[in-house]
Amino acid sequence: MAGKRRPPSPAAVTVGAAERSRFSTTAKVPEEARRAGVLVSQSRHVPEETPIALTYGGSTHAVMMATPADLADFAVGFSLTEGIITDPDQVEDVEVIAEDNGIDLQIRLRDEQNDALRLRRRHMAGPVGCGLCGIESIEQAVRTTPDVSGSSLRLSDEDVVRAVAMLNGQQPLHLKTRAVHGAAFYVPGRGLIAVREDVGRHNALDKLTGATARAGFKGAQGAVVVTSRVSVEMVQKTAITGSPVIIAISAPTALAIRTAEEAGMTLIALVRGNEFEIFTHAERIERDEEERAPFSPRVCRSEPF
């Protein structure tokens, strides 16, 4: 459209740069690749995937398979999104201990948080073979999602396009391996505040949560941008940060859409160039009047069993 302002070229992250890891995050491996109909010997970089234990008061709470980088961010972000703490200052120290087969994050909490965690553990079930450790019921698995409907944050359609364009240029590990997820925090007028990467999409979001919280940013100030599909856990973790908007390159699940709708969160997905789809709370996206068209919110209905 003539005279329409276009998004600027992707810019550098302003604050919260990723920490340099003392552990190897990639490995160079040999491979046989088919090129122009011929098999050739070559090598490529692949990401490392390391068992990382999150230990509180000497007791391991969870072990995650993750990229061994931004570990302090991971410890703080996981603690926040799992409800172990409510403020990054409640973590007194994170000690990174290299083990023979992985990494142990020894997280020291304030006394009151340690007491609350010990009480919580008394009610936890035994270990289970899934990502919902300690969950005893279906009701606990589908946990209450914080309400973010009161947020005053508004984005333009250009903000959405710009956020994803910036993220595409700020993922060095993905550019090297093409095998990790990215999560970023976008603030209108400032751009990307922080970007974190990991082999696990939840881990990337936890690292981002820790990075922004440690830098003093509040979730209500901006939008979470992710390269993965949007599962219900991604919506829940985003809501816990206080952010009312999640923007994704891939598609959402049905439960993620229902959860975002109930939480008052704007869920935008399938961002491709200048095009995207808004699944919930489109009123938070301010479009140009000449572009504005009637919006019919998507209603996610489950098929009967």
Side-chain angles (χ1 to χ4, degrees):
M1 184 178 298
K4 181 175 174 59
R5 182 168 57 89
R6 306 304 303 168
S9 300
V13 176
T14 54
V15 298
E19 300 167 0
R20 184 179 298 276
S21 177
R22 63 185 171 105
F23 301 99
S24 177
T25 57
T26 65
K28 194 173 184 179
V29 299
E31 65 172 4
E32 298 290 321
R34 191 170 188 267
R35 298 286 184 263
V38 178
L39 282 177
V40 296
S41 297
Q42 60 180 43
S43 62
R44 71 170 291 119
H45 290 279
V46 295
E48 289 286 358
E49 188 176 20
T50 306
I52 297 179
L54 295 113
T55 302
Y56 301 86
S59 297
T60 298
H61 184 83
V63 178
M64 311 295 288
M65 299 303 297
T67 301
D70 303 303
L71 297 175
D73 288 341
F74 189 29
V76 173
F78 178 89
S79 300
L80 284 166
T81 63
E82 290 302 311
I84 295 169
I85 62 173
T86 57
D87 187 283
D89 289 340
Q90 292 169 342
V91 174
E92 291 190 340
D93 184 57
V94 178
E95 184 179 3
V96 179
I97 300 175
E99 305 283 358
D100 289 341
N101 297 310
I103 298 169
D104 188 8
L105 299 184
Q106 293 277 348
I107 304 164
R108 187 166 73 247
L109 304 176
R110 289 182 179 177
D111 289 343
E112 54 268 32
Q113 276 68 50
N114 270 322
D115 293 342
L117 183 56
R118 279 194 292 269
L119 180 62
R120 173 175 167 176
R121 281 179 177 146
R122 292 196 192 107
H123 299 288
M124 288 177 70
V128 294
C130 69
L132 299 173
C133 298
I135 297 301
E136 297 176 284
S137 67
I138 291 174
E139 288 73 19
Q140 285 178 296
V142 187
R143 58 182 172 174
T144 301
T145 304
D147 189 328
V148 294
S149 61
S151 171
S152 61
L153 180 70
R154 294 293 183 270
L155 301 177
S156 69
D157 52 359
E158 290 184 355
D159 281 320
V160 175
V161 173
R162 184 182 300 119
V164 172
M166 287 180 172
L167 178 55
N168 287 340
Q170 295 296 328
Q171 300 175 81
L173 189 57
H174 179 69
L175 291 174
K176 191 173 185 179
T177 66
R178 300 293 177 181
V180 298
H181 294 290
F185 190 64
Y186 177 85
V187 175
R190 293 197 59 173
L192 297 185
I193 297 304
V195 177
R196 293 295 181 265
E197 298 181 275
D198 199 276
V199 290
R201 64 185 188 276
H202 303 104
N203 299 338
L205 184 48
D206 281 342
K207 289 179 178 181
L208 175 71
T209 299
T212 53
R214 294 173 71 204
F217 286 92
K218 303 297 183 183
Q221 293 176 261
V224 168
V225 190
V226 297
T227 60
S228 64
R229 67 182 174 87
V230 185
S231 64
V232 65
E233 287 179 284
M234 300 295 277
V235 170
Q236 290 170 333
K237 286 177 181 287
T238 297
I240 288 170
T241 72
S243 175
V245 179
I246 184 168
I247 302 170
I249 293 174
S250 297
T253 67
L255 182 56
I257 295 170
R258 292 193 294 270
T259 303
E261 177 64 38
E262 293 170 1
M265 179 182 294
T266 300
L267 193 164
I268 304 169
L270 297 164
V271 183
R272 299 289 186 272
N274 292 325
E275 298 182 348
F276 53 84
E277 299 180 23
I278 308 174
F279 289 83
T280 61
H281 295 282
E283 68 277 2
R284 201 171 270 116
I285 307 303
E286 298 175 341
R287 291 164 288 173
D288 291 340
E289 286 300 325
E290 53 195 285
E291 286 186 340
R292 191 173 297 277
F295 176 79
S296 299
R298 294 173 178 267
V299 178
C300 183
R301 307 185 191 280
S302 297
E303 295 295 329
F305 290 104

